[in-house]
Amino acid sequence: MVGLHSQHQDLIRDGCDERWTWNKRDKSHEVKTSGDGLETAHFHPHWSNGTAGIRGNCVLNYGIHYWEIKVSQRIFGTSMMFGIGTKSARLHVDAFVNIIGEDRHSWGLSHKGLLWHNGNCRQYTKPFKENESTVVGMLFDGVAGTLTYFKDGVSLGIAFSGLEEVVDNIYPLASSTAAKTEMTLGVRRRGYQSLQDRCRVKILSSIHKQQEIDHLPLPSSIRSFIKDAACV
């Protein structure tokens, strides 16, 4: 637990910000996004007839990522979930189910404290208090192949392992069966992948417009590498 907390703090202190958002196209029709950065997902804005999910637009594989989801006070219902999954994970079903972790394509934690993967569940932590806002943090280590959850800044321990063996791209996921619930992205950080990556982030911190990259006195391959950065 101490090691996990240390890794989390190192990433917050020494990593770099990410600007990924909820994917406005890769979601259930029962999810609406809002905010300048599409950071808030509104589940079942009117009423709920099933389970709705949404995917983040950040590929997690191979890197170390930490992100937080601020959950509104409306915590209730059959299932509100936070996790990860591939493009094969379903994002909508006309039934009240634990959709993240229903099969081998996703891994999730429900607000009832249960971990789900491949249709199986196990107790992981205490159920969340209903109608009390909370912050759920997730630390994905693509090198070690682990996913760790945090609740209001406190590590709950490693939830899943073996994720380094997943070949398909893995993305952040969230879902809810409850009407008029909201989940808002908060802190998003990642670790540096190399010295070159660290230099890229330093360069980007001094650039205000992407067009400026084209005028840098650097080889075209390096300019392309800078443009590809998801971390600025």
Side-chain angles (χ1 to χ4, degrees), residues 90-105:
R90 288 198 299 176
L91 297 178
H92 183 85
V93 58
D94 290 326
F96 299 105
V97 299
N98 294 284
I99 198 171
I100 304 178
E102 67 173 354
D103 55 28
R104 64 185 179 88
H105 301 296

Side-chain angles (χ1 to χ4, degrees), residues 178-193:
K180 301 179 181 179
T181 48
E182 292 184 0
M183 299 186 195
T184 301
L185 293 171
V187 172
R188 280 151 286 166
R189 303 277 286 177
R190 74 167 174 85
Y192 295 108
Q193 298 175 357

